[in-house]
């Protein structure tokens, strides 16, 4: 399913996490200290989900536009 960056950012947080985890393609994963960063590709943008290892839960996210997807 393709969704625009704008439509994605207007979804509630729970819906964003659900969409990324179920439909996103994991690109990279990195662990620093007690935090795990996982980068997913979804449509024409990427979403980084930040996990707190000590609390065993998602602690945040960052959304990045993939500008190369719009290059001609």
């Amino acid at each position: 399913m393709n969704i625009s960056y704008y439509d994605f950012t207007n979804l509630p947080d729970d819906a964003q996490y659900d969409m990324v985890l179920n439909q996103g393609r994991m690109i990279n994963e990195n662990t620093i200290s007690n935090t795990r960063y996982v980068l997913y590709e979804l449509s024409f943008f990427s979403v980084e989900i930040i996990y707190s290892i000590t609390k065993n839960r998602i602690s945040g996210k960052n959304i990045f536009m993939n500008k190369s997807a719009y290059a001609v």
Side-chain angles (χ1 to χ4, degrees), residues 18-69:
D18 185 54
M19 183 174 285
V20 170
L21 295 174
N22 290 316
Q23 298 178 21
R25 183 175 67 95
M26 188 171 79
I27 297 174
N28 196 6
E29 179 179 358
N30 193 12
T31 302
I32 300 172
S33 202
N34 290 320
T35 306
R36 186 170 69 135
Y37 301 88
V38 183
L39 185 64
Y40 294 90
E41 180 181 58
L42 186 71
S43 292
F44 301 108
F45 55 93
S46 301
V47 179
E48 177 185 56
I49 297 186
I50 305 164
Y51 297 93
S52 171
I53 295 171
T54 55
K55 295 180 182 176
N56 197 29
R57 66 182 186 109
I58 295 174
S59 60
K61 69 179 176 320
N62 294 307
I63 306 168
F64 307 99
M65 279 183 97
N66 293 346
K67 296 187 188 288
S68 63

Side-chain angles (χ1 to χ4, degrees), residues 1-13 15-16 19 42-43 45 63 65 70:
M1 173 184 165
N2 284 337
I3 185 170
S4 72
Y5 174 87
Y6 176 78
D7 290 337
F8 182 80
T9 57
N10 284 316
L11 291 173
D13 284 344
Q16 288 180 4
M19 183 174 285
L42 186 71
S43 292
F45 55 93
I63 306 168
M65 279 183 97
Y70 302 105

